[in-house]
Amino acid sequence: MKRLVPIAISLIFCTAASAQQEAIELAMSSTNDGTYTLSIQILVLMTLLTLLPAIILSSSAFVRIIIVLSILRQALGTAQTPPNQVLLGVALFLTFFIMSPVIDSIYQEAAVPYMEGAATVQQALDAGIQPLRAFMLDQTRESDISLFAGISGRNDIESIDDVPMSIVIPSFMVSELKTAFQIGFLIFIPFLVIDLVVSSVLMSMGMMMLSPMLISLPFKIMLFVLVDGWVLVLGTLASSFYT
């Protein structure tokens, strides 16, 4: 638990650095050696803590996971089962599992030097944001980067290293949305086939007043259990980030 606190602090600093840099420069008063007073650091940290939900959504694996799990629940037709709290818990812990190598890199490269006094806040931000940036770029399509670069009017981007975080983050989110819906489509197909078969059988038997969803639900749950669906879905999601 002692290690989770500096990891969380460093992750918050690194992911919010690009958006908050100008505000920090205006709000902070620096000393002669380039460090900041403890009260100012605490103030900035508490401010950045309020951005934690947006940070998790915009720069981690959470977006893809929660969308796929939501589509899976819709395909099963189980309404609010599993409930939202369960899906969020699964998505958060699977996100932490997937992001563990990135968090460890941020901890070693940014948090440890900063806590030991070997690096300033700015140096820790610059060092810690690189692993997260590399993770997002690995999952981002070049077409999405080109789209937002064109919208922003940036014509000076010659390589992937020149892409600013203001372009990387929205490009990453769009790519994650597209990937999540692609995975969700593949998950939806077998359950849709069961619904069509059940509906056709009921129509042929003249049972028009009987809801096909009521009959197909047990079959879909049975199919999902027999193929060990949770292991397949969660395993596929985890492996999709490093293939």
Side-chain angles (χ1 to χ4, degrees):
M1 291 299 295
K2 293 181 179 179
R3 188 176 177 182
L4 289 179
V5 176
I7 289 176
I9 293 174
S10 60
L11 182 60
I12 293 170
F13 270 138
C14 295
T15 52
S18 178
Q20 295 292 321
Q21 185 174 4
E22 293 184 4
I24 291 174
E25 290 177 353
L26 293 175
M28 284 186 166
S29 57
S30 60
T31 59
N32 293 330
D33 58 354
T35 60
Y36 305 110
T37 62
L38 180 60
S39 59
I40 295 297
Q41 294 182 28
I42 293 176
L43 175 62
V44 174
L45 176 59
M46 295 304 296
T47 302
L48 295 180
L49 280 174
T50 61
L51 300 175
L52 184 58
I55 293 171
I56 294 177
L57 287 175
S58 61
S59 59
S60 69
F62 183 83
V63 174
R64 184 187 305 185
I65 296 170
I66 193 62
I67 290 178
V68 171
L69 293 180
S70 298
I71 293 177
L72 172 62
R73 184 175 65 180
Q74 184 71 24
L76 284 171
T78 54
Q80 294 299 314
T81 303
N84 292 331
Q85 292 84 347
V86 174
L87 292 185
L88 288 172
V90 172
L92 283 173
F93 281 101
L94 187 59
T95 299
F96 181 78
F97 170 77
I98 294 171
M99 300 294 294
S100 291
V102 179
I103 296 175
D104 288 339
S105 298
I106 293 174
Y107 178 79
Q108 296 295 334
E109 298 176 12
V112 172
Y114 176 72
M115 290 186 297
E116 293 178 350
T120 63
V121 174
Q122 188 61 47
Q123 290 173 340
L125 290 174
D126 293 338
I129 205 171
Q130 296 306 318
L132 187 62
R133 173 189 172 88
F135 170 82
M136 288 190 289
L137 288 174
D138 287 341
Q139 315 302 324
T140 305
R141 296 174 175 83
E142 293 185 4
S143 59
D144 295 326
I145 296 178
S146 300
L147 170 65
F148 285 96
I151 294 175
S152 63
R154 294 291 299 269
N155 299 320
D156 56 341
I157 299 176
E158 299 180 356
S159 65
I160 200 68
D161 296 330
D162 299 330
V163 181
M165 289 297 292
S166 59
I167 294 179
V168 172
I169 293 178
S171 302
F172 170 77
M173 293 191 67
V174 170
S175 292
E176 287 296 281
L177 289 173
K178 182 177 181 179
T179 303
F181 276 95
Q182 288 175 341
I183 298 175
F185 171 77
L186 296 177
I187 291 175
F188 215 106
I189 289 178
F191 300 110
L192 179 61
V193 171
I194 293 177
D195 286 333
L196 290 174
V197 171
V198 171
S199 179
S200 299
V201 171
L202 291 178
M203 289 288 291
S204 64
M205 296 176 65
M207 298 181 179
M208 300 180 182
M209 301 301 294
L210 184 61
S211 174
M213 294 294 297
L214 183 63
I215 305 300
S216 63
L217 179 59
F219 290 100
K220 290 191 287 187
I221 294 178
M222 181 181 65
L223 172 65
F224 192 69
V225 172
L226 288 177
V227 300
D228 205 358
W230 288 113
V231 173
L232 290 176
V233 172
L234 298 181
T236 300
L237 280 173
S239 61
S240 66
F241 288 92
Y242 294 102
T243 56

